[in-house]
Amino acid sequence: MSIYYRTHGYCLGTCNIPEETYQRQLKTLIGRTKWIRGYALGGYDAHRMAKEMGFKTMVSAWIGREADRNERELALLIREAKEGYVDIAALGNEALMREEITDRDMAKYVERFKKAVPNIPVTVCDNASHLLRAPKVLAACDIISAHTYPYWIGLSIEEALPFTAEKHRLLQKTSGKEVIITETGWPSGGNTIGKAVANEENALRYFKEFVAWATRWNVRYFYFAPFDEKWKRAFEEEQGAHWGRWYEDGTEKPWVNWK
């Protein structure tokens, strides 16, 4: 199987998705990826389905402004880790970027998880640039988990992979730890931002160049995303609906099989 077809991991959306959709999506990904990453706990426990289907899991607690929700999510993550459903524990998703929590307070949540479950590696998923400004989080995490989106900052497709590679290098140098790319990708449709053109050709090029780079340098990663998510139009305009390698119904996009 081509390395361009089987990826290291995928980010599986966890917002307003029925149980039967989770099951269909996970079945589509069997044999096409090793890891599944989710974003929050509760609902239909997609991470449990993934684990039972043979995937490794990065399971996240949604940490943000709401202290009560943070406590519930942390408690659930600790429980799921102790019950064997978590291979890597993650706290937050771009909460530092959204300024919902400070570097110091996020690091405290990391330390609490480590004390409760010392045998499971724990990380914080956030924008690479914001992680570089969060020394306490970098020090507390077992693994560094970075998001890089050259499209969103208006870089051309030629500049895209060098940008991601440089962010990875800087985080590795600064932290001295393994750096996983926990989100990256390029939309196959939507608006042009600066020099970043959202189309199928660029989506394929970034995917192939990124996967080849990650494979060459043995970088673990989660690609965003396996499936289109139409609901994201309301938050990210037209391009929000076009990040998947598959359409929302699970059929393959034409560019998936391009050479």
Side-chain angles (χ1 to χ4, degrees):
M1 181 177 291
S2 168
I3 63 169
Y4 303 124
Y5 195 61
R6 178 165 181 160
T7 72
H8 184 78
Y10 277 115
C11 305
L12 190 66
T14 51
C15 181
N16 302 321
I17 299 175
E19 182 176 8
E20 58 270 20
T21 302
Y22 277 133
Q23 292 173 339
R24 186 188 72 238
Q25 290 181 344
L26 288 168
K27 287 177 181 177
T28 298
L29 296 176
I30 291 173
R32 294 177 167 92
T33 194
K34 299 176 183 178
W35 285 75
I36 297 294
R37 177 194 166 206
Y39 290 86
L41 289 159
Y44 296 110
D45 295 325
H47 63 286
R48 289 192 173 210
M49 294 183 198
K51 195 71 175 171
E52 289 163 0
M53 290 183 185
F55 296 103
K56 288 187 173 294
T57 57
M58 175 181 277
V59 183
S60 300
W62 190 270
I63 302 296
R65 288 193 179 93
E66 301 176 36
D68 289 345
R69 179 178 179 178
N70 291 350
E71 292 299 321
R72 291 194 300 271
E73 289 273 327
L74 180 62
L76 284 170
L77 183 61
I78 290 169
R79 184 195 72 188
E80 295 302 291
K82 288 182 174 179
E83 292 185 6
Y85 291 102
V86 180
D87 292 294
I88 298 176
L91 297 172
N93 184 67
E94 299 182 347
L96 296 172
M97 185 183 76
R98 293 190 299 272
E99 299 183 344
E100 294 178 349
I101 192 169
T102 66
D103 176 26
R104 182 187 299 274
D105 287 343
M106 184 65 89
K108 289 179 180 177
Y109 283 114
V110 173
E111 295 295 347
R112 286 175 60 191
F113 180 89
K114 290 169 74 171
K115 184 176 181 180
V117 194
N119 61 318
I120 300 293
V122 59
T123 189
V124 170
C125 297
D126 221 298
N127 178 275
S129 296
H130 288 78
L131 286 172
L132 286 164
R133 300 195 292 268
K136 292 180 174 60
V137 165
L138 294 182
C141 288
D142 298 313
I143 300 165
I144 309 305
S145 294
H147 299 179
T148 66
Y149 282 113
Y151 167 81
W152 283 120
I153 61 173
L155 296 182
S156 69
I157 191 62
E158 291 78 16
E159 298 168 309
L161 181 63
F163 170 83
T164 291
E166 177 63 6
K167 290 297 184 184
H168 184 272
R169 185 191 70 80
L170 287 172
L171 278 167
Q172 201 168 51
K173 179 180 178 181
T174 302
S175 68
K177 299 175 181 178
E178 180 188 9
V179 179
I180 299 176
I181 301 295
T182 39
E183 278 191 34
T184 197
W186 196 281
S188 60
N191 301 318
T192 296
I193 299 176
K195 294 183 289 183
V197 179
N199 60 30
E200 290 188 342
E201 182 179 1
N202 287 344
L204 173 69
R205 177 172 172 177
Y206 184 74
F207 177 80
K208 292 181 73 172
E209 289 183 357
F210 172 80
V211 173
W213 168 81
T215 302
R216 178 182 179 186
W217 297 105
N218 198 29
V219 176
R220 292 198 283 175
Y221 67 90
F222 292 82
Y223 206 79
F224 187 89
F227 305 99
D228 282 349
E229 297 173 284
K230 293 179 182 177
W231 65 270
K232 287 192 172 180
R233 285 193 177 100
F235 301 93
E236 299 177 357
E237 300 184 15
E238 181 61 24
Q239 56 269 19
H242 298 284
W243 290 84
R245 285 192 65 209
W246 287 265
Y247 294 112
E248 198 162 24
D249 65 3
T251 59
E252 291 184 315
K253 290 186 176 180
W255 66 263
V256 171
N257 295 315
W258 287 2
K259 302 299 182 183

